[in-house]
Structures are given as structure tokens and as C-alpha cells.
Amino acid sequence: MWLIFGVKCMSDKVLKGILEKNAGEPEFHQAVTEVYHSLKPVFEAHPEFVESKMFERIAEPERQIMFRVPWVDDNGVVQVNRGFRFEFNSALGPYKGGLRFHPSVYQGILKFLGFEQIFKNSLTGLMMGGGKGGADFDPKGKSDNEVMRFCQSFMSELYRHVGPDTDVPAGDIGVGGREIGYMFGQYKKLTNSFVRVLTGKGLDWGGSLVRTEATGYGLLYFVEEMLKTKNESMKGKVAVSSGSGNVSIYASQKVEQLGGKVVAVSDSGGYVYDEKGIDVKVVKQIKEVERGRISEYAKRVKGAEYHEKGNIWEVECDVALPNATQNELDEKSALKLVKNGCLAVGEGANMPCTPEAVKVFHKNDVLFGPGKAANAGGVAVSGLEMAQNSQFQSWTFEETDKKLQGIMANIHKASWDASKEYSKEGNLVDGANIAGFLKVARAMQAQGIV
Ligand code: NDP
């Protein structure tokens, strides 16, 4: 901490200290560094946050849980995975955030996701704290029975730490309706209670309409808000959407509903290009029903091409939607998108653009919607699912979708306004970080040093 004109300001030593304390976690470093730099003007305006060590506190999870997940595969062989839950911040409500099952999962990835989740959940305007969890388990290629046994073992430990007023996990990469169902069943058996402990539940047993579509649809509602600032809209636009999972599928569906077309989607093997516009029904059949590879698309749809290991960001588009995973879009790809005339980028995934790529977009006046704002639709509808559960109600699709649209428009406005007040008008990276932070910081300030 140092003094300028009698005002206490934050020194970069604070950031350095946090990075040193969390060594070997590059994704967490990336997320913390970005937020720290966005918040500098806020700390200048609010020395009380510096004094109460707000940033140091917010960057430290309230609790972190790591556990063994043993299970038996279909050949009778014992397997051992590692499970985690990071309960990051409960200033605004119960911890809320997804569970990720992917071989790349380790604490650095979950800490970056949990940290981001604090600000994202705050931006939704709903009363939710931030958390994230998961396991280094790969559901790919596993039978339904193996996935069930894994989920049951995972929940046999996690159930002690979660609950409707404590921590309410949801899905993320590798965790969809099937996995949520198996985990919910095990939670119910262990606690002998049917409570609102997970979101993303089936529609017949407490799920919310629009939850499946929420992240992808919400992303497009946010992108439409960004485009409006340049008197543009999705109508007639060509888009590229990486990944072909939950977020990419429903983003592609909404692009089509808004009068645009998605010409390329991908998975970790490569991308498919379909000049006529990707047929979402075919992608859903391959990915949601058959759990197959996107290369299948080119075998089924005439005129479509499969590019094994190709870079999807080389495909010409007006709107780029990185919807797969962290750091999938680098500086070189960003330069290519700019060269091809890309107008807007909306992050459906969490932190899919590297910091260098974000700089390229800002420098070239490309509209840029950061994940913590643009993909907040998923957690927002999870919050709406909790609200419906606690009232024993189910809202209609239209009602829920309308609320989602309203929330995404508010997030855009809050981020825009904060960027205008503290940073450069229209820099939504700074705007989202600041607007998200301020609400949490005020709540933490009011709740004392706990
Ligand atoms: P899914 O597991 O449903 O799909 C992920 C998709 O991304 C798969 O098609 C996967 O392909 C692909 N993928 C993974 N790694 C790569 C890679 N290196 N290159 C290209 N494609 C890749 O996950 P979601 O759609 O739910 O999540 C996607 C992103 O959105 C994540 O960052 C997640 O955190 C974020 N998000 C998700 C929300 C939700 O509600 N689901 C909410 C907010 C954010 P493959 O099958 O080959 O691995």
C-alpha cells in the first residue's frame, strides 16, 4: 500500500504476493491479473477497499475441498480420480458454480473458474456467491454405468459440503443432464431429502425450462446488445462458434433464430465448415444423443467439409463465438479475425481469448464481450431454477426466456456504465470486472472481516 496525494492506493506488490502464493497455477494468475488491472481506478476512488485488504481477501477461497474419488470400471478394475470444490465467496449468497469433469482439471483451472464466478454471479443481480468444482475424470468413451458409478462416488464425499443454503453446484464441461441426474440421486439417497441442491436438473424433477439453452441464448442476447451500440444486429451475419457442446449448440440455434448463420463448429479433433449454415439438429444428434465426434457431420451433410486439427478462427466471419475452452483463441487467431473483418467477439466459454488476443480486439475496435458477462446466462437461469424450486413453481419457457433477456441486457448496461465511469467507455472487460466487484466488495465491507 502506498500514498498519493494523501490517498491510500494499492501497490503491485499485492498482485505479486497473490501470484507467488498460488505458484504453478497459470490460469488463476491470468484471471487474477486481469481483474486486478481493471480494478486499479476503483481502488484509487475507494481507499477503504485497500485498507480492508479487499482484493487479497477476494482472491483467497473461503474454503477448498479436495478428495479421493474411487470407482470400478466395466472390466472390474479400480480407478482413482481426484475431486475438488472451491467455495470462493459467499458475500452475496450460497456458493454457486459448475462442476467440470475433464482430464485437464486441477486446482489452478478450478480456482480461475471459481474466482471469475464471483464477479459473474454478482453481475446477474441474483443473490449467489461464487464457487467451482469438478474432477480430473474424462467422461469421453465411458459407458453410462461407469459415469453413474463415478458420479455416485464423487457425490458420496461432496454431499457433506453442499446444500440449498450453502453451496449449489451445476454443470460445466463434461457435466450435463445425465451427470447431474446421477449426482442428485446419490445426494437424495445419502441425505434422505429431496432438496434444491443442484441446478440443471431434469424438467420432470425440479429443472427449469431454458436452463439447457441459457448460456448459448444469453450469449447471443448479450452480443445483440453489443451490436446495437454500433447500430448493427445479428440479422444476416455470419458467425463461427467453436466447440459443439452445450454452449455452442444453443448459441448456434439462437444465431439462426436471430436471422444469422453459423458456418463452422468444432470439437477438440477439428472443425466442420458448412457454407449453407450448420444444421443444429445434426450436431445435436451427434453430440447429445450419440456422444460422437464432430467429424461425423461432414459424412452426413452434403457439401460440408471437415478440417482435422484445423484452426476454426481462420474461417471468415462477422461474429466470433469462442464456446469451447480457456485460451483457445490466441493473438495470431485474433489478428486473422480482424483481417477477415470480424465485427464482434462474444466469449461463451470462460476466458477463451488470451490476454494478447483481447488486446488485438480492443486495439482494432472489435466489440468484445468477456465471458464473465457474456456467458452469465447459464448461471442466471440456474438462479431462476433455485427461485422456482423454493416457490414450488415452474415458469413457462417464454416467461423464463424473457427474464434471461432482461438479465443479459442489464449486465451489458451495468458493464458499459462502469466502463464509462472508471475506464474507457465500451471496454467491457474493465466494465464487467468493476461492476461485478463493486457489489461483492460492498457486501463484504458491510459483513465485516470474516
Ligand atoms: P461441453 O462439455 O458441453 O462442450 C465443450 C465443447 O468444447 C466440446 O465440443 C469439446 O470437444 C470442445 N472442446 C474442448 N476443448 C477443445 C479444444 N481445445 N478445441 C476445440 N474444442 C474443444 O461444455 P460446455 O459447452 O458446457 O462448456 C463450454 C465452455 O463454456 C466452458 O468454458 C465452460 O466453462 C463455459 N460455460 C458453460 C456454461 C454452461 O452452462 N454449460 C455456463 C458458462 C460458461 P471434445 O468433446 O472433443 O472435448
Side-chain angles (χ1 to χ4, degrees):
M1 200 153 43
W2 40 283
L3 285 166
I4 319 183
F5 310 122
V7 177
K8 280 181 182 143
C9 291
M10 190 119 100
S11 109
D12 287 349
K13 271 195 197 148
V14 169
L15 177 64
K16 201 164 162 260
I18 294 170
L19 302 188
E20 277 170 10
K21 203 170 172 182
N22 296 279
E25 297 175 0
E27 299 84 1
F28 183 55
H29 287 193
Q30 190 178 329
V32 170
T33 304
E34 179 203 286
V35 174
Y36 173 83
H37 287 297
S38 291
L39 293 179
K40 277 184 163 180
V42 176
F43 292 122
E44 275 175 39
H46 294 278
E48 71 276 15
F49 293 150
V50 180
E51 226 160 294
S52 65
K53 294 217 161 57
M54 192 57 75
F55 196 74
E56 292 92 318
R57 284 197 285 147
I58 228 166
E60 189 69 26
E62 288 176 15
R63 189 174 302 106
Q64 55 189 65
I65 301 146
M66 187 167 102
F67 49 97
R68 178 172 71 203
V69 190
W71 56 284
V72 181
D73 70 18
D74 286 348
N75 298 318
V77 177
V78 175
Q79 304 286 343
V80 184
N81 286 98
R82 184 172 276 183
F84 304 88
R85 186 73 183 163
F86 287 86
E87 296 182 333
F88 238 102
N89 194 295
S90 60
L92 296 182
Y95 309 106
K96 183 91 198 86
L99 295 170
R100 177 176 290 194
F101 291 169
H102 194 269
S104 64
V105 162
Y106 79 109
Q107 60 190 33
I109 286 198
L110 296 180
K111 276 165 72 179
F112 117 65
L113 291 164
F115 179 72
E116 295 270 297
Q117 198 82 42
I118 305 170
F119 308 99
K120 183 188 304 192
N121 293 3
S122 162
L123 283 168
T124 66
L126 304 171
M127 300 319 292
M128 298 183 288
K132 199 83 189 186
D136 60 353
F137 171 74
D138 189 358
K140 231 180 281 167
K142 304 285 189 302
S143 70
D144 283 354
N145 277 330
E146 287 177 322
V147 171
M148 180 178 74
R149 288 194 293 274
F150 175 81
C151 289
Q152 290 174 340
S153 179
F154 184 83
M155 189 46 92
S156 297
E157 173 58 34
L158 190 69
Y159 87 99
R160 295 171 222 284
H161 311 287
V162 296
D165 300 316
T166 314
D167 186 353
V168 186
D172 189 71
I173 291 180
V175 178
R178 173 182 62 169
E179 291 76 15
I180 294 287
Y182 293 148
M183 286 190 273
F184 185 80
Q186 186 70 357
Y187 179 88
K188 186 165 61 67
K189 185 180 167 92
L190 293 169
T191 60
N192 195 25
S193 61
F194 191 106
V195 292
R196 11 181 242 292
V197 74
L198 288 159
T199 55
K201 300 187 286 297
L203 289 176
D204 294 330
W205 44 279
S208 172
L209 285 163
V210 194
R211 177 58 191 94
T212 307
E213 296 84 356
T215 308
Y217 278 24
L219 171 65
L220 268 299
Y221 297 147
F222 191 91
V223 169
E224 279 284 65
E225 292 298 318
M226 293 201 300
L227 289 170
K228 263 191 222 163
T229 65
K230 288 201 171 173
N231 294 320
E232 289 278 3
S233 78
M234 278 307 295
K235 198 161 189 283
K237 297 289 184 302
V238 170
V240 162
S241 168
S242 62
S244 46
N246 173 270
V247 179
S248 185
I249 287 175
Y250 293 97
S252 303
Q253 194 172 76
K254 187 50 78 177
V255 168
E256 208 178 302
Q257 289 172 11
L258 293 170
K261 68 174 177 181
V262 168
V263 294
V265 294
S266 63
D267 64 17
S268 54
Y271 75 86
V272 282
Y273 175 74
D274 186 347
E275 196 186 1
K276 301 181 300 303
I278 293 285
D279 185 335
V280 177
K281 278 200 294 303
V282 176
V283 179
K284 284 177 74 162
Q285 174 65 25
I286 296 169
K287 288 291 173 178
E288 292 182 342
V289 181
E290 298 166 22
R291 297 180 191 278
R293 309 304 300 157
I294 203 63
S295 52
E296 270 300 308
Y297 184 96
K299 294 182 193 150
R300 292 181 199 182
V301 177
K302 214 170 146 212
E305 302 158 9
Y306 178 60
H307 296 257
E308 195 176 345
K309 294 285 163 213
N311 180 2
I312 194 170
W313 308 118
E314 289 180 359
V315 176
E316 245 174 71
C317 64
D318 303 307
V319 176
L321 304 170
N323 289 334
T325 195
Q326 62 275 352
N327 292 325
E328 56 164 304
L329 197 167
D330 62 10
E331 184 180 20
K332 199 167 150 227
S333 298
L335 287 166
K336 186 80 188 170
L337 283 167
V338 170
K339 189 162 166 246
N340 285 341
C342 178
L343 274 179
V345 178
E347 291 189 322
N350 285 307
M351 213 168 73
C353 299
T354 63
E356 297 76 24
V358 177
K359 269 190 204 139
V360 170
F361 296 136
H362 280 155
K363 203 169 147 200
N364 289 280
D365 211 19
V366 174
L367 294 164
F368 180 74
K372 66 169 73 67
N375 73 30
V379 74
V381 176
S382 280
L384 301 181
E385 181 174 330
M386 289 162 76
Q388 291 169 78
N389 289 169
S390 61
Q391 296 164 17
F392 298 97
Q393 280 189 358
S394 296
W395 302 335
T396 63
F397 192 96
E398 291 68 28
E399 223 176 330
T400 316
D401 192 32
K402 207 160 168 222
K403 287 186 203 293
L404 170 64
Q405 281 183 53
I407 290 171
M408 297 314 296
N410 287 342
I411 293 176
H412 181 267
K413 183 171 185 320
S415 307
W416 186 279
D417 291 350
S419 73
K420 193 171 164 187
E421 186 174 350
Y422 289 99
S423 168
K424 182 170 177 253
E425 185 171 19
N427 179 332
L428 299 177
V429 172
D430 287 346
N433 286 333
I434 294 166
F437 169 81
L438 281 172
K439 192 170 167 203
V440 181
R442 288 191 195 112
M444 285 175 71
Q445 201 79 349
Q447 291 166 18
I449 310 291
V450 286

